[in-house]
Amino acid sequence: MSESATDTADRAMLWEVFVRGRRGLSHVHAGSLHAADAEMALRNARDVYTRRGEGVSIWVVPSVQIFASTPDEKDPFFDPNADKVYRHPTFYNLPEEVRQM
Amino acid sequence: MSDDAKQPGLVPAFDVMIAADERIEPRDEMPDGYRKTLIRQIAQHAHSEIIGMQPEGNWITRAPSLKRKAILMAKVQDEAGHGLYLYGAAETLGVDRADLLDLLHTRRQKYSSIFNYPTISWADMGTIGWLVDGAAITNQVPLCRCSYGPYARAMIRICKEESFHQRQGFDILLTLSNGTPEQHEMAQESVNRWWWPALMMFGPPDAASPNSAQSMAWGIKRFSNDELRQKFVDMTVPQAAVLGLTLPDPELRFNDATGHYDFGPIDWTEFDRVVQGHGPCNDQRLAHRVRAHEEGAWVREAANAYARKHARPKITGEAVA
């Protein structure tokens, strides 16, 4: 049994990586990686996720810092939106004379 | 968590999503068996990527030109990256990469048997790219539609990059095949050695693959082992003709009735022997992997010690808002 792998001093933090593909686009989640600190996470992210020019900017965030809603789309968290169809433009009937709006 | 979900194997929301061909995401409830199957499969896939660096790393210092050396280094770096994408995907299922590496190092998890064969000639770099990566792509393209989101997303990245791997391998073989008679012979000898192990990469025949049906029902697997193997043979035979190389199977011929190539029987006793750890390089590959991991321990410890010393996360760029 390799002892080094189970040594807690050996285990680096988990980070989530977000990459901006090109100027004008948002950063998008690309994956995760391990690194001891933010600088190392950025370097590793460059090597792991942008070997072919996939990005012009990278964000790294400690995974433990991300707070998430539950993923189930039927979750009550999203219920308040379900009955507000009037938020969508298609809710409104326009008179025929209005060609474009 | 609903009461239903606490009964092992019974997760109604999961069944509904699988039936609708929706993707399962990390925080969804899922049957224990699904989680365990995925952890094992993704981990073994990740292990294969990083062990797969060794047979090719073997030739970096002896590549015949600077161009070939630079390409081979980029390819081996990709394999490391693929391993990292996959370990990342496995970790979304609640396991730790360090524990998975322990399972590899202590032989409790496997990697693809193909990497237990030696790379004894430069032509093997070509054959690995063409046949081994070609077989891997055939296996992996359907995994881009796998029901588990993080695995499918990792596979999309990997498949894009593998296509460079296969073409660079084909390019090496094409150059050798059209070179001197000795170079042509080197290419042919290499293809002769790798053809059958490449066909074994698809796993045992369907009749002897008891877990396949469950994996198909869960949307992890989309095609059976034999279907994928046939697809690979059908794609590869015409490519061999372009290379001017033959495949070492006297029974290989096109079947007009089925529209597919028939091929001879695979030696599954050899497959079993290599899977059980008795291939030509099993011990060497694992010993090298464990040594590299242990020799790198001080680097990981130093990086963590440095990070602890500078506890506030340092931000190198400007604050984002």
Side-chain angles (χ1 to χ4, degrees):
Chain A
M1 175 106 177
S2 149
E3 282 184 12
S4 58
T6 49
D7 181 355
T8 48
D10 197 24
R11 298 193 178 196
M13 276 170 67
L14 191 63
W15 300 74
E16 300 301 323
V17 178
F18 299 81
V19 175
R20 185 198 294 285
R22 57 184 164 80
R23 305 183 71 83
L25 298 180
S26 305
H27 286 73
V28 174
H29 186 239
S32 58
L33 51 74
H34 289 265
D37 59 26
E39 270 181 84
M40 189 179 174
L42 281 172
R43 280 177 181 277
N44 289 356
R46 179 198 60 188
D47 292 345
V48 176
Y49 292 106
T50 62
R51 283 194 301 284
R52 288 173 173 80
E54 293 94 333
V56 294
S57 164
I58 298 174
W59 290 349
V60 289
V61 183
S63 302
V64 292
Q65 297 288 345
I66 291 185
F67 295 86
S69 67
T70 53
D72 188 338
E73 285 164 24
K74 295 178 190 70
D75 191 279
F77 189 69
F78 297 101
D79 274 358
N81 299 322
D83 57 356
K84 296 183 178 60
V85 286
Y86 45 81
R87 278 183 172 150
H88 298 277
T90 46
F91 176 76
Y92 302 92
N93 291 321
L94 287 181
E96 289 261 335
E97 305 89 280
V98 182
R99 293 265 171 90
Q100 212 176 15
M101 184 182 281
Chain B
M1 187 183 281
S2 69
D3 287 344
D4 283 344
K6 284 173 187 158
Q7 298 175 31
L10 194 65
V11 183
F14 172 88
D15 293 337
V16 168
M17 268 193 286
I18 290 289
D21 203 17
E22 289 249 26
R23 296 295 174 268
I24 306 298
E25 294 294 343
R27 289 153 54 89
D28 288 335
E29 290 173 22
M30 59 187 92
D32 281 350
Y34 180 82
R35 185 185 297 275
K36 281 184 188 147
T37 299
L38 274 171
I39 290 172
R40 196 187 62 236
Q41 179 172 338
I42 300 173
Q44 293 189 356
H45 196 161
H47 300 331
S48 302
E49 297 285 354
I50 63 166
I51 293 285
M53 295 164 76
Q54 292 185 39
E56 296 181 307
N58 182 32
W59 279 91
I60 288 177
T61 57
R62 292 174 291 164
S65 69
L66 188 57
K67 181 186 100 175
R68 297 288 185 196
K69 182 186 289 207
I71 291 172
L72 189 56
M73 286 201 300
K75 179 171 192 283
V76 172
Q77 192 191 18
D78 273 353
E79 310 294 3
H82 296 177
L84 290 172
Y85 306 156
L86 289 164
Y87 285 121
E91 286 192 310
T92 63
L93 290 158
V95 287
D96 191 295
R97 185 177 75 190
D99 294 327
L100 298 178
L101 287 174
D102 256 358
L103 292 171
L104 168 67
H105 296 163
T106 54
R107 299 181 185 240
R108 285 174 292 165
Q109 277 182 346
K110 291 181 164 46
Y111 53 87
S112 174
S113 279
I114 195 74
F115 301 117
N116 290 319
Y117 291 89
T119 47
I120 59 179
S121 78
W122 167 252
D124 288 352
M125 297 305 96
T127 311
I128 285 183
W130 178 46
L131 292 181
V132 174
D133 292 327
I137 292 170
T138 309
N139 258 329
Q140 288 168 356
V141 166
L143 285 174
C144 297
R145 293 189 293 119
C146 157
S147 60
Y148 188 58
Y151 192 25
R153 292 193 285 276
M155 291 318 305
I156 290 170
R157 300 181 69 86
I158 289 174
C159 284
K160 276 188 199 160
E161 302 184 354
E162 287 287 351
S163 127
F164 138 59
H165 296 183
Q166 193 185 17
R167 286 184 187 200
Q168 68 86 35
F170 190 86
D171 184 64
I172 290 174
L173 287 180
L174 191 62
T175 306
L176 287 175
S177 182
N178 293 324
T180 64
E182 290 82 4
Q183 287 171 329
H184 179 89
E185 178 47 37
M186 186 198 283
Q188 183 63 62
E189 186 276 336
S190 174
V191 168
N192 291 349
R193 262 185 298 114
W194 289 94
W195 173 248
W196 291 107
L199 291 191
M200 293 175 198
M201 285 176 68
F202 297 94
D206 294 348
S209 183
N211 299 324
S212 284
Q214 179 62 77
S215 278
M216 304 252 285
W218 275 332
I220 299 173
K221 228 174 139 63
R222 298 286 183 176
F223 298 98
S224 78
N225 294 353
D226 286 332
E227 284 171 327
L228 291 168
R229 192 169 5 249
Q230 184 67 56
K231 194 180 252 190
F232 174 69
V233 171
D234 290 344
M235 275 191 316
T236 307
V237 175
Q239 292 170 0
V242 175
L243 285 172
L245 298 171
T246 59
L247 298 169
D249 179 359
E251 295 178 45
L252 190 66
R253 63 179 58 85
F254 191 73
N255 183 329
D256 284 321
T258 61
H260 296 288
Y261 284 90
D262 292 337
F263 51 96
I266 293 170
D267 180 3
W268 293 110
T269 56
E270 175 184 329
F271 176 77
D272 291 339
R273 196 168 60 240
V274 181
V275 169
Q276 283 155 21
H278 308 298
C281 300
N282 297 58
D283 293 340
Q284 180 191 333
R285 299 286 187 241
L286 210 52
H288 184 86
R289 171 66 214 146
V290 170
R291 190 168 66 244
H293 187 73
E294 286 172 353
E295 287 177 359
W298 73 270
V299 178
R300 296 188 294 275
E301 282 160 20
N304 285 329
Y306 179 87
R308 276 195 301 276
K309 223 166 156 180
H310 302 77
R312 276 178 69 86
K314 257 169 75 181
I315 294 165
T316 53
E318 288 179 21
V320 292

